[in-house]
Every structure is written in structure tokens, then in C-alpha cells.
């Protein structure tokens, strides 16, 4: 089974061809990612209209490269998959429409993939992991703990009620005048900082649910910045270290609860899987190792190129859905919001927050 | 030549197949539509191709409108056109909505200039002024309505485009009134197809013609701003 995957939900224009064998094993034949970081850097964050413009300009060329590198012609594809959301709608429209066009020309089945589902199924592509497992997805747009029980069967155990974790890193970097994208800059600065100098809050710590909150922590950092003038490099390092330490402690606590909820409802997970750009942070990785060990499970983190947004994960999720007989029509709408777990409810007291979608 | 034409830039979702030898569209469908192009377009193209009784492989060229128009709409049409072209290995070209609006009336009355205008909101229009015999007098631009009205200096015009009535309503009373006003909500897909057949592929790239920059300002000094905010 050969599937083309297209990813355009944020600031990466990506396409890949993945082969899925009958036994469920996988081979990535090509995986092309064109990051738009350069386009967005002057603005200190992703600008939706600029992202949409870049996707429409780049995508057909990226798909052509992915097809060429894979050595597979369009007529041989068993399916064409695109991330149909959730994400920035302008880019989603470009990716989904392009996939539909290819599907139309060759009468190939279309698979409209939920971007979060693609992250969730990635460890089956990289590590042939069996269900069920616990996913911690933390990126610039999402922060969720999800029980992955089967293809199309996901239960959200926890979510952020405000900022995504990667977003919080990027915003702190922006406040400190560090270049975009700021997450890695904060991690770098934190390495030479004193994490104990500032006593930042640990949001949600000790709560019985597995939700996250990051905006209060971000505000606390901003308030401290306001008190220090001029801001010396050591201050920046100490602020980053303090912020990162607070995130680590909150994450460990939230994930500990998430894994406990997982075990109560679904038994032992076969692994704790981390995905999303935040999983590239070495300090967070170390914290996740200890969380997994405490829960007597193993930690799996796919290689960085497959942790962040890419086409291979979309192609793979498309292949998994196609193997399960799940395809979509040419009418399929692009979706800015799309819950992975349709039954997920916002936690009590957070009905009107991002946790509702 | 068989040309597949696509237009989703304004308030319609349209596709047609032009057979230049037959001198007519052999299939077409146009749905008035303000939103929902992304869901509607591809099934519509599938119906048009089926109704034309041809294989996609038989097409010689794909054309889509490039704008100006709804940023989202024109990206739907151009993604579709470029995707089909890529998958079927066919050439793809773009034509502007302003040209497609003007094409039917160019040459009709050689004395009257044609003002092709599209509502750009905020009291602005995208417009282009063309002489009756097809020479461009004012290049496509986005400008306040007042500036488009200044094109009255070329003589009583034929107004076309979805902002034709907008201009007619504001036309200075001391000047000769427009010779005609054709306020269509979207270009005629047949003219999109004919223009697409006529243009040279090198001169008509299938790229969005926004005429407006993205609404975003480069980041300033956020550290200073943060310190100011936090100090409040």
C-alpha cells in the first residue's frame, strides 16, 4: 500500500510517500519538509496569511519532489492523504484541495487525516508500537494527553486550558527579545541559568485531573521581566531556567496523573509516547523518562524529524485508515477545529477556554 | 485545444471545459456562492469533466483565476488547478479576474474605455482601466473608490466587475454617465477559459494575484514592550 501524505496545517509545507506492508510494517520512501520559519521570523510568530500564501506557492513543488524521490508515479498510489485540520485554515485548504485534485485525476481514494491523529499514530510508523499507549503531544499549537486505543479510537485524558506548551516557550522567548522560534532559545539560555532564583508558579499542580495551564506562568515571567532593568544576559538565563523548571514540574505532575487515569480506565499502556516540537527539548525528555519509569512503562520519542510536523505521519495515518477501510469524499470540508476525541469535554470551570476544542 | 477553466475567486464556484475547435464550452457549471468553495469545487469539477465526456488526460491545459478577489477563494481554485496539472502532467496558467470581467466587452465599442472593478471593501476597489481596443490605461491596482472614479478622464466608460454598480452610484454628476454598467458577481467561466487558451504559459503564471500585502507588522522590540506593560 503506497500513500502520499500532505501536511500544511501550520508553518511547514510537507509531503511524503510511505509504504505500508500487509503485516503493518512501514517504509518511508520520501519525506520532504519545507519550513517557513524564515518567512515568519520577522514577525516573531506564525502569521496565518503569510503561511497560507507560502503554502499555495510551495506545495505543488514539494509534492512533485516527494513523488520523484520516492520513485512512485501517481497512478501507483493506493491513497492520497492530507491533514484536513485542525490548524490554520488557509493552509489546510491548500493541502486538502491539492490532495483532492490528485485523487480526482487518478481516481485514488482520499483520506482526510486529523493532524493530531497523525501525531498519535507516528510511533506505529517508527517503532511498530501496539495499541494501547499513552500519547503526550506538546507543540506550538497543542498540549494534550491522549489514550491511543486503536485507529480512530482516541480518548483525551488531559489538555491545556489556555496556551499550548510550545506557544508558552515561544512567547517567553519573545518577551525576552530572543529570536524566533524561541523554544530552543529558551532551552539554550536555561542551561546556564539558576532555576531557583525566581519562584514561578506550578500551575495545576496536584489537581486530580490531567489538564495543563500555562498562561499564568507566562504572565508571572512577564511580571518579573518588568522588575529588572536593564536585563542582563544572566537575568535572561535565570528567567528561562526558572520558567523551564516550572514547566517541567507541572508536566511531570500532569503526566503522572494522566498515566494513572490511563491505567484505571484502560489498563497498562504499552508505552508513553511524546510527540510535537516540545519533545525535542532535552530537559523535558529527561523529565518524561522519569515519569515513564515511575509508571512502569517505557518512553518512546520518535526521531525529531517525525516528532515535528511532517508529511510522513500524514501518509502513515492515511495508510492506517485506508487499511481499516476509512476513506473520505471530495466534499470533505477543511476544519480549523477538529477534536481528536469527539466526546472530549472541557474540564469543569474551563468551558469557555481552548479546552473546549 | 481542450481547456479546463476554474474560478472560485469571487462569489461563484465555477468550472468549464472549453473545446477551442468546437468554439464553445462542452460542459460547465456555475454555482453562486459566497463561502464553501473548498467543499464544493472538486465534486463540481468531477461532474463537469464527466459531463464533457472526456478523460482528464485529454486536457491540453488548465486555467484558474488568480484574483484579485477573496484570498481564500483564489487559493482554493489555484490549489485545485495546480494539483490537477501536477497529477495529470499538464500545463497550468492563470488569468486575472479583472481581465476576465473586461474580456467580453473589449472591442465591443472601441471608443469607450472599460473600467473593470472589484469590491475590495473599506471603500476601496481593485481596478484596471482598459481602452476600448484592449490597451491598458491604468494597470491593476487597489485604491480608494475616488481614485477609480478619476479614470473618468479617459471618457464615459463601460463599467464591469462586481464593483461596477458601486462606481456607477458614485459617478460624478457633472461628467458624462457610464455608457453601460455590468455588475456581475463573478466572471463568466467561458471567458476565463478563452483567456486561458489565449495566454502564453510563460506570461501567465498560476500564482495568486493578491494586490494587497498580508496584514502583519514586523515584531518591534518586545522586550521593551514587555517591560513597559509589566511596569503598568
Amino acid at each position: 500500500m503506497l500513500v502520499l501524505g500532505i501536511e500544511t496545517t501550520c508553518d511547514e509545507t510537507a509531503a511524503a510517500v510511505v509504504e505500508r506492508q500487509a503485516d503493518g510494517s512501514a517504509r518511508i520512501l520520501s519525506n520532504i519538509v519545507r519550513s517557513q520559519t524564515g518567512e515568519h521570523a520577522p514577525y516573531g510568530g506564525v502569521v496565518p496569511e503569510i503561511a497560507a500564501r507560502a503554502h499555495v506557492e510551495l506545495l505543488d513543488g514539494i509534492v512533485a519532489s516527494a513523488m520523484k524521490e520516492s520513485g512512485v508515479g501517481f497512478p501507483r498510489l493506493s491513497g492520497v492523504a492530507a491533514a484536513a485540520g485542525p490548524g490554520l485554515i488557509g493552509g489546510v485548504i491548500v493541502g486538502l484541495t491539492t490532495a483532492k485534485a490528485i485523487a480526482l485525476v487518478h481516481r485514488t481514494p482520499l483520506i482526510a487525516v486529523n493532524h493530531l491523529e497523525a501525531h498519535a499514530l507516528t510511533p506505529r510508523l517508527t517503532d511498530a508500537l501496539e495499541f494501547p499507549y499513552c500519547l503526550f503531544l506538546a507543540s506550538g499549537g497543542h498540549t494534550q494527553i491522549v489514550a491511543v486505543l486503536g485507529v480512530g479510537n482516541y480518548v483525551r485524558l488531559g489538555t491545556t486550558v489556555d496556551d499550548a506548551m510550545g506557544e508558552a516557550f515561544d512567547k517567553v522567548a519573545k518577551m525576552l527579545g530572543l529570536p524566533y522560534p524561541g523554544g530552543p532559545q529558551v532551552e539554550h539560555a536555561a542551561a546556564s541559568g539558576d532555576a531557583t532564583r525566581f519562584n514561578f508558579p506550578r500551575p495545576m499542580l496536584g489537581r486530580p485531573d490531567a489538564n495543563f495551564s500555562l498562561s499564568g506562568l507566562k504572565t508571572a515571567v512577564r511580571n518579573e521581566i518588568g522588575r529588572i532593568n536593564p536585563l542582563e544576559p544572566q537575568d535572561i538565563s535565570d528567567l528561562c531556567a526558572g520558567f523551564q523548571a516550572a514547566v517541567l514540574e507541572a508536566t511531570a505532575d500532569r503526566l503522572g496523573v494522566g498515566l494513572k487515569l490511563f491505567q484505571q480506565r484502560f489498563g497498562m499502556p504499552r508505552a508513553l509516547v511524546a510527540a510535537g516540537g516540545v519533545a525535542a527539548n532535552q530537559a523535558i525528555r529527561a523529565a518524561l523518562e522519569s515519569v515513564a519509569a515511575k509508571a512502569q512503562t517505557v518512553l518512546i520519542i520518535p526521531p525529531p524529524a517525525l516528532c515535528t510536523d511532517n508529511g510522513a505521519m500524514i501518509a502513515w495515518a492515511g495508510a492506517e485508515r485506508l487499511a481499516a477501510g476509512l476513506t473520505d469524499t471530495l466534499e470533505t470540508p477543511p476544519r480549523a477545529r477538529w477534536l481528536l476525541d469527539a466526546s472530549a469535554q472541557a474540564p469543569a470551570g474551563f468551558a469557555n477556554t481552548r479546552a473546549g476544542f | 485545444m481542450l481547456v479546463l477553466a476554474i474560478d472560485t475567486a469571487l462569489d461563484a464556484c465555477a468550472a468549464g471545459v472549453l473545446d477551442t475547435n468546437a468554439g464553445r464550452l462542452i460542459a460547465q457549471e456555475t454555482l453562486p456562492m459566497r463561502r464553501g468553495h473548498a467543499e464544493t469545487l472538486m465534486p463540481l469539477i468531477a461532474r463537469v469533466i464527466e459531463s464533457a465526456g472526456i478523460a482528464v488526460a485529454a486536457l491540453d491545459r488548465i486555467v484558474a483565476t488568480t484574483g484579485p478577489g477573496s484570498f481564500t477563494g483564489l487559493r482554493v481554485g489555484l490549489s485545485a488547478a495546480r494539483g490537477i496539472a501536477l497529477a495529470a502532467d499538464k500545463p497550468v496558467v492563470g488569468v486575472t479576474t479583472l481581465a476576465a470581467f473586461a474580456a467580453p466587452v473589449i472591442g465591443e465599442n472601441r471608443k469607450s474605455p472599460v473600467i473593470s472593478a472589484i469590491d475590495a471593501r473599506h471603500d476601496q476597489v481593485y481596478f484596471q482601466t482598459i481602452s476600448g481596443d484592449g490597451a491598458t490605461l491604468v494597470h491593476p491596482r487597489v485604491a480608494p473608490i475616488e481614485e477609480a472614479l478619476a479614470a473618468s478622464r479617459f471618457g464615459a466608460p463601460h463599467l464591469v466587475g462586481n464593483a461596477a454598480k458601486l462606481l456607477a452610484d458614485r459617478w460624478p454628476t457633472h461628467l458624462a454617465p457610464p455608457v453601460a454598467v455590468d455588475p456581475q458577481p463573478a466572471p463568466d467561466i467561458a471567458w476565463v477559459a478563452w483567456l486561458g487558451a489565449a495566454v502564453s504559459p510563460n506570461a501567465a503564471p498560476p500564482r495568486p494575484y493578491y494586490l494587497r500585502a498580508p496584514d502583519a507588522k514586523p515584531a518591534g522590540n518586545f522586550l521593551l514592550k514587555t517591560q513597559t506593560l509589566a511596569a503598568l
Side-chain angles (χ1 to χ4, degrees), chain A residues 42-43 47 49-50 52-53 56-57 60 63-64 93-94 97 100-101 104 106 174-175 222 225-226 228 231 330-331 333, chain B residues 38-39 43 46 71-72 75-76 79-80 82-84 86-87 207-208 210 212 214 216-219 222-223 226-227 230:
Chain A
Y43 302 90
V47 180
E49 177 61 22
I50 290 175
R53 290 185 179 200
V56 76
E57 210 48 67
D60 57 355
V63 171
I93 284 174
V94 171
T97 303
K100 286 178 177 179
L104 170 93
H106 295 287
K174 198 167 166 177
M175 290 189 275
R222 186 166 75 194
I225 295 173
I228 308 165
L231 203 64
L330 295 179
E331 281 92 355
Chain B
E39 295 86 331
F71 294 171
T72 296
R75 283 194 283 261
V76 170
S79 297
R82 288 166 67 152
I84 292 170
L86 172 66
R207 302 178 60 188
Y210 298 108
R212 261 191 186 144
K217 291 193 172 59
F222 274 86
L223 180 55
T226 302
Q227 290 184 322

Side-chain angles (χ1 to χ4, degrees), chain B residues 141-162:
Chain B
R141 53 188 287 119
V142 61
I145 288 176
E146 294 307 320
E147 197 174 313
L149 293 175
S152 58
R153 67 183 183 276
F154 298 111
H158 190 141
L159 299 178
V160 298
N162 76 3

Side-chain angles (χ1 to χ4, degrees), chain B residues 1 16 20 32 38 45 58 63 65 78 104 112 158 164 180 184 191 200 216-217:
Chain B
M1 187 194 278
T20 54
I45 292 175
V63 58
T65 44
L78 285 167
S112 302
H158 190 141
Q184 288 175 282
W191 283 100
S200 155
K217 291 193 172 59

Side-chain angles (χ1 to χ4, degrees), chain A residues 321-349:
Chain A
R321 291 187 72 85
L322 191 58
L326 302 167
T327 62
D328 298 276
T329 68
L330 295 179
E331 281 92 355
T332 305
R335 299 167 72 169
R337 298 177 182 187
W338 185 1
L339 281 172
L340 183 55
D341 170 5
S343 67
Q345 306 237 324

